[in-house]
Amino acid sequence: MKGTFYAVGVGPGDPELLTMKAIRTIRECPVLAVPISDPECGQPIWNRFAKEERWLEKCAAYQILTGADLDVTEKEMLYLPMPMIREKERLRENHDRCAKQVMEILDVGLDIACVTLGDPSIYATTSYIKVRLEQNGYRTALIPGVPSFCAAAAGLNVTLAENREEIHILPASYDIEKSLSLSGTRILMKTASRTAQVREALEKRGMDVLMAENCGMEQEQFYHSVKEIPDKTSYYSLYIVKEPKEETKW
């Protein structure tokens, strides 16, 4: 029988947000797959029991497991290159190679737990592999994790929506002006490369702006207005944007 590919959400960074279901799935799967963005990892590598520390120490999803004292020393390791590039053809070829390697492992009956930050249904790189596996008749499953914007709202001590308010989850690397014209709460993700443009657009509109940077990680920072946000922010940054509200009196 062929194995199953599990895309496992490990939450945004805080090991305490790793779910019991994620822990159980990782423990039960003999192969642990980790996404690697290091350019030196150009090909998927199935390295039985060998730990490539130079890559793992930079993998945020893997570091969550170590922070939770989850013992994975006996796992077979699968390193999947996930480069930070936009060239569609190169990305397609890379995802094809990763899926092919995953299929070879599943064909010998081994289950794979592939860890991903946050939740695997939200902008997760595992989705590109998942769809290729399903097209070829392999079994897949999603193990939900705490999304970064939910953890950020908790860290900022705010609610994301009330009553009939809408919530929009948006990649800020695209048409920011169009995104800001939507009603309700706008969650802007993938903002690091356009911090200056995003901040300028928000200042013009006079919106209520909150920002979380490295939520749940050691370098965690929260900002409560657009003026507090620095010129440069890390890759793991998101905005929570709302229309100004009148203060409710009791």
Side-chain angles (χ1 to χ4, degrees), residues 13-31:
D14 184 350
E16 290 187 346
L17 296 180
L18 188 63
T19 69
M20 294 177 66
K21 187 167 187 176
I23 292 173
R24 178 181 60 78
T25 302
I26 293 168
R27 283 176 174 166
E28 292 178 352
C29 289
V31 180

Side-chain angles (χ1 to χ4, degrees), residues 94-104 129 132-133:
N94 179 74
H95 296 147
D96 287 346
R97 287 193 296 269
C98 289
K100 182 178 179 180
Q101 177 63 84
V102 168
M103 291 177 197
E104 291 179 7
I129 297 175
R132 286 164 169 76
L133 297 178

